[in-house]
Amino acid sequence: MDTKRLSAKLEKALSAQMNVEDLQSHVYLSYGIWASDEGYEGIANFLFRHAQEERDHAIKFMQYILNRGGKPKVEALPSPGKDPKSLTDCFNLVFQHEVDNTQKIYELVDMAMAEKDWATWNFLQWFVQEQIEEETLAMDLIDKLKIAGGDRATDESLFNLDKTLGVMPDEAESARDATGTNP
Ligand code: OFO
């Protein structure tokens, strides 16, 4: 009896996304190593924590495919790419990676909708929400660096920024939780 509850097309696409999330994890790991090497230990800590989150996302895709009777495939990952040229470059790249990944999630949502695979559509909604938060978080990084003076920031403001990001929460606040008294 065939118990698979995913089309071959979606199984392949979800498996590809599992590998994309793992690549995202490597990208954050490589940026964290770059930041640590530059002396930004707080920023490195933030990026390393985020690398772990991306790894968790890969595991969610893996488990979902398995739960639906499919078999995900671990692929060789491409290189995470060159080191950032500066902190501004690093945060801009982080934002762009998140936007690109959001696009990939949207394509999966489209696919699930076209197949009327509502279980997969529902599973993917968690990622739609997560990408909103991750893009917000990346925008926060860009804003904080801009306020600190961007690439012309003084050593003192960079020191403070590094300290702030070292303890920055992993999740951005969601608009769903906003209220009049706590916007
Ligand atoms: Fe996996 O959430 Fe960022 O990309």
Side-chain angles (χ1 to χ4, degrees):
M1 167 109 188
D2 183 10
T3 55
K4 195 189 284 187
R5 301 286 289 129
L6 281 174
S7 71
K9 186 177 171 191
L10 263 176
E11 179 185 23
K12 199 163 164 227
L14 292 165
S15 180
Q17 186 63 27
M18 174 189 77
N19 286 281
V20 166
E21 299 288 346
D22 249 341
L23 177 58
Q24 288 281 87
S25 178
H26 276 201
V27 167
Y28 278 103
L29 203 60
S30 74
Y31 291 178
I33 291 169
W34 169 81
S36 177
D37 187 54
E38 293 285 311
Y40 301 119
E41 292 306 337
I43 292 169
N45 183 284
F46 172 84
L47 293 164
F48 289 147
R49 278 184 282 133
H50 207 88
Q52 190 54 40
E53 263 199 45
E54 296 294 351
R55 172 89 179 130
D56 292 345
H57 296 169
I59 297 297
K60 287 184 200 301
F61 276 100
M62 176 198 81
Q63 198 56 58
Y64 179 74
I65 299 164
L66 287 169
N67 286 354
R68 302 299 286 160
K71 185 165 180 236
K73 191 167 186 305
V74 174
E75 311 276 2
L77 296 177
S79 149
K82 290 196 187 116
D83 280 349
K85 292 195 264 307
S86 63
L87 276 183
T88 304
D89 188 36
C90 178
F91 294 169
N92 287 344
L93 285 167
V94 162
F95 180 68
Q96 193 56 52
H97 280 296
E98 289 306 331
V99 171
D100 292 347
N101 202 27
T102 299
Q103 190 50 41
K104 291 196 161 68
I105 298 289
Y106 287 177
E107 284 163 17
L108 287 170
V109 172
D110 269 350
M111 238 183 253
M113 188 143 142
E115 289 191 16
K116 294 191 169 37
D117 179 343
W118 304 121
T120 300
W121 185 90
N122 183 261
F123 167 73
L124 290 168
Q125 294 311 301
W126 186 89
F127 285 92
V128 171
Q129 175 62 28
E130 180 68 8
Q131 286 306 122
I132 297 173
E133 288 171 25
E134 302 218 325
E135 287 182 10
T136 304
L137 206 59
M139 286 177 212
D140 278 357
L141 293 179
I142 292 171
D143 287 347
K144 283 193 168 56
L145 179 59
K146 216 181 279 168
I147 290 166
D151 283 339
R152 289 191 305 280
T154 61
D155 288 349
E156 192 187 350
S157 55
L158 283 179
F159 178 76
N160 287 326
L161 177 73
D162 188 52
K163 254 201 332 208
T164 308
L165 293 188
V167 293
M168 182 159 151
D170 295 327
E171 307 292 339
E173 282 182 25
S174 163
R176 286 181 184 182
D177 300 326
T179 61
T181 49
N182 186 21

